[in-house]
Amino acid sequence: MMGEANHAHLQGAPLWGRDFLHGATLLDGGAYPFLVFGPGVVWGECYGISTNLLSSLDEFEEHPNVYCRQWVVLASGREAWTYVGQLPYTSNLKAIAGGNWRDRALRVSR
């Protein structure tokens, strides 16, 4: 997300806007989040990226081991890639209530 530690990996990619995903939960991994499918909503940003950037992001996200890139349909109807956290990396992590990474310090549920 814009302003977050790893946003530089999206350098040059145009922001298409904020959006959200139904049927997903955001987990607090400490320094970074994990999206998993489940009850809830996850908020984020949608970017236009090139094939080369997608390959670079796959490497950064350690696809398919730590995160697995999957195709989803966002609330806006836009289709997009997202990275889904994989076991065992997501075990025993707490959900971020409201599904917004920027709010993680304010609303971490048990």
Side-chain angles (χ1 to χ4, degrees):
M1 294 181 83
M2 197 173 300
E4 295 293 335
N6 293 321
H7 187 262
H9 291 277
L10 294 170
Q11 185 173 2
L15 172 64
W16 288 350
R18 290 183 46 84
D19 214 326
F20 58 97
L21 177 63
H22 287 285
T25 301
L26 196 62
L27 304 177
D28 189 348
Y32 43 85
F34 286 95
L35 180 146
V36 294
F37 294 117
V41 173
V42 172
W43 291 87
E45 297 170 344
C46 193
Y47 290 84
I49 60 172
S50 66
T51 303
N52 287 341
L53 182 52
L54 185 59
S55 293
S56 175
L57 291 171
D58 281 350
E59 185 176 331
F60 173 72
E61 299 290 359
E62 299 182 57
H63 167 71
N65 300 315
V66 177
Y67 293 90
C68 185
R69 178 168 42 92
Q70 295 189 23
W71 200 245
V72 296
V73 178
L74 302 172
S76 66
R78 178 178 279 144
E79 296 176 342
W81 289 114
T82 191
Y83 288 94
V84 179
Q86 301 297 292
L87 290 172
Y89 304 98
T90 58
S91 298
N92 302 316
L93 297 180
K94 294 180 181 179
I96 297 172
N100 189 331
W101 178 243
R102 289 198 172 113
D103 293 345
R104 65 192 174 276
L106 303 175
R107 299 181 285 163
V108 176
S109 66
R110 293 184 171 257

